[in-house]
Amino acid sequence: MTTKVLRLNVNGEDTLVPVGPMATLQEVLRDKLELTSVKVGCAQGGCGSCSVLIDGELRLACLTPAEAADGCTVTTLEGLNESNSIVPIQQSFIENYAAQCGFCTPGMLVATKALLERNPKPSRDEIIEALSGNLCRCTGYLPIIKAVEDAAAALSGKQSA
Amino acid sequence: MAKLRGTGMAAVNYPTGMHLGGDPTQALVHATTTGNFVVTLSSVDLGQGLKTVLAQIAAEALGVPFETVLVDTGDTDTGPHCTGTFASRTTHRAGNAVVMAAREARKVLLEVAAEELEVNADDLVTDGEGSIHLAGAPEMKISVTDAALAAHFVQGKTVSGRGVYLKPMSPMDPETGECDPDSTHAHACTVVEVEVDTETGAVAVLSIKSAYEIGQQVNPALVRGQIVGGAWMGMGHALSETTAPYYPAIDHAPRDFLGYVMPGAAEMPEVECVVLEHPTETGPFGAKGIGEMVANSPIPAVVNAINNALGVRITEIPVTPEVILRALDEKAASAA
């Protein structure tokens, strides 16, 4: 078993992480770097609760071999929190009661952030498409869709002002 | 081949609490030095908002601001006893226990305030905004914070209260099976519209409309959260979710979220609901439970709507495309 040292930029910090051959990015982020917003819902790409940004693109950490992220910039919800860029989205989730048990919420927030970065004024159908990889067991999705609509409106209003 | 529309209806009568060997919940309430109140419970918030609801109930019974109440739940090693969060019981059971504990703590709070103000405790009222004053003389007042400080550092008292709600075990009549297992009943009726594709067997749920009667709503936004989430769960159980698709055979049992198919955001129709409030005598401020019933009536309502659309009589769930196509084949065969 060969251990390789990965060079990652995680949430703005350059990090060296030793990993074994079969490690996933999910294991590196949760177990080695203690970034527990990256949830383990299914570990097979079925639920979206481990959503992260790799070089700004929405990715599932559970399906990403850690070595594939070597040299990449990785952003988890913790990193978005530090930059405050997520606050209007979080506020909208709170105001729309878009979280109940909260397990899916980090993935939903990261997926929403990725959507609004590339499409600041998404239609309802585009929002639903963007969230289609994220499962929620509690809310029935309607409050989450509304939260994304309101967050988009709040953010685009701020940009045009 | 066509897309056929149908409408289905179903009603539910749902008990709050259950039988077991009695169904108790206990609560403890105490003031910190600065006049915040801690409600200690073993009951668990699953995300439905129990802590919010119990903080509201405690604040109302204590006569203090909601923001000054902290609800500490979920440690069954150290907390007062609770049977658990199930049977739509916790708002009702824990709520009643919290009201009782809060009233005892409020009595101590007013006694402490009375001694500080040199008045009779029976003449004191709370304004719900953090002050205690003499009825009819608002200028004769003391803040809850100052009263709590006086209790801790001057008078040497604990501003605290104990609460319990116990529904004793009801023995079952061996002849009739009759017993009294619950504390109150909530009611609901759901109407669902569907569109069924007779070529593929796919079902689109077009609308889910419900009326609920759940006693006094403690928090309408959280109630709506339960109703919308439950409508989605019911839709999933009606159409796709099962751990044994060929029950009693266990073949093809799903092992993960890729095989256990739930409706996604795209399948979710708008959910309309109205909530009727008929406070129940046994509930905290008249509240009944709404936890589990929200996923009940949508299931038969969806199935009835499918039956209405197709002119068939499917009686098992989930009604997958396979079930629909087989039912249509049987209908065609019996007509021939």
Side-chain angles (χ1 to χ4, degrees), chain A residues 57-75:
Chain A
E57 296 286 324
L58 184 65
R59 291 287 180 267
L60 297 173
C62 73
L63 292 187
T64 305
E67 289 190 41
D70 195 11
C72 293
T73 297
V74 180
T75 309

Side-chain angles (χ1 to χ4, degrees), chain A residues 46-121:
Chain A
C47 75
S49 68
C50 66
S51 298
V52 297
L53 304 179
I54 301 178
D55 289 341
E57 296 286 324
L58 184 65
R59 291 287 180 267
L60 297 173
C62 73
L63 292 187
T64 305
E67 289 190 41
D70 195 11
C72 293
T73 297
V74 180
T75 309
T76 69
L77 182 61
E78 287 89 346
L80 294 174
N81 272 333
E82 281 166 20
S83 67
N84 272 343
S85 62
I86 197 78
V87 169
I89 300 173
Q90 290 169 321
Q91 190 63 36
S92 185
F93 270 62
I94 292 168
E95 287 168 4
N96 284 289
Y97 294 82
Q100 285 188 32
C101 86
F103 193 91
C104 75
T105 310
M108 291 286 184
L109 291 169
V110 172
T112 302
K113 176 68 182 167
L115 168 68
L116 298 183
E117 282 290 320
R118 63 181 160 78
N119 182 359
K121 293 182 179 176

Side-chain angles (χ1 to χ4, degrees), chain B:
Chain B
M1 296 299 160
K3 289 190 174 181
L4 301 178
R5 290 196 173 192
T7 304
M9 186 267 279
V12 58
N13 172 33
Y14 205 91
T16 299
M18 68 181 289
H19 199 57
L20 295 179
D23 193 4
T25 290
Q26 300 193 358
L28 296 172
V29 170
H30 79 273
T32 66
T33 51
T34 53
N36 289 328
F37 281 85
V38 181
V39 179
T40 311
L41 295 154
S42 290
S43 319
V44 172
D45 191 335
L46 308 172
Q48 77 278 45
L50 180 68
K51 290 171 87 167
T52 304
V53 162
L54 294 179
Q56 286 179 260
I57 288 173
E60 187 79 16
L62 285 161
V64 302
F66 168 77
E67 295 76 16
T68 64
V69 178
L70 175 82
V71 179
D72 182 13
T73 61
D75 190 336
T76 53
D77 273 350
T78 58
H81 177 238
C82 176
T83 317
T85 299
F86 60 90
S88 305
R89 66 184 288 286
T90 327
T91 294
H92 183 278
R93 295 290 195 275
N96 274 320
V98 167
V99 167
M100 183 176 168
R103 284 182 179 153
E104 187 173 302
R106 174 187 166 89
K107 186 166 180 292
V108 181
L109 178 69
L110 296 184
E111 284 168 4
V112 169
E115 194 164 323
E116 294 301 302
L117 293 170
E118 298 180 352
V119 298
N120 190 327
D122 293 337
D123 298 330
L124 288 175
V125 294
T126 47
D127 67 356
E129 295 173 4
S131 278
I132 304 160
H133 64 80
L134 197 60
E139 70 284 358
M140 196 62 177
K141 68 177 178 181
I142 181 171
S143 70
V144 173
T145 300
D146 285 343
L149 284 167
H152 282 87
F153 296 105
V154 181
Q155 299 183 24
K157 287 179 179 167
T158 60
V159 181
S160 62
R162 303 153 296 168
V164 60
Y165 188 88
L166 171 64
K167 167 81 181 181
M169 181 170 173
S170 163
M172 189 184 294
D173 186 313
E175 298 297 321
T176 64
E178 185 180 348
C179 65
D180 178 22
D182 49 52
S183 299
T184 185
H185 282 194
H187 312 87
C189 183
T190 298
V191 177
V192 166
E193 293 175 286
V194 300
E195 185 175 83
V196 187
D197 187 323
T198 59
E199 185 171 13
T200 64
V203 175
V205 176
L206 304 176
S207 69
I208 302 175
K209 298 173 183 173
S210 295
Y212 281 86
E213 190 288 290
I214 57 160
Q216 174 66 50
Q217 295 186 90
V218 179
N219 187 313
L222 294 178
V223 167
R224 181 172 164 78
Q226 291 293 292
I227 291 171
V228 175
W232 172 81
M233 287 180 208
M235 191 174 111
H237 287 304
L239 295 178
S240 60
E241 293 178 37
T242 177
T243 54
Y246 298 99
Y247 182 84
I250 59 169
D251 307 297
H252 305 289
R255 296 168 184 274
D256 49 48
F257 294 139
L258 306 180
Y260 186 91
V261 182
M262 295 178 270
E267 280 79 52
M268 191 63 188
E270 278 303 319
V271 174
E272 283 181 42
C273 60
V274 292
V275 178
L276 312 173
E277 294 178 320
H278 295 287
T280 176
E281 284 181 12
T282 70
F285 302 105
K288 303 176 181 178
I290 191 181
E292 292 178 56
M293 66 188 301
V294 290
N296 289 167
S297 52
I299 302 172
V302 167
V303 179
N304 286 339
I306 293 168
N307 286 332
N308 178 243
L310 302 180
V312 298
R313 187 66 188 150
I314 296 165
T315 56
E316 290 184 14
I317 55 169
V319 186
T320 59
E322 178 183 339
V323 171
I324 286 174
L325 294 179
R326 286 185 192 282
L328 286 172
D329 283 350
E330 278 175 30
K331 185 187 175 193
S334 65

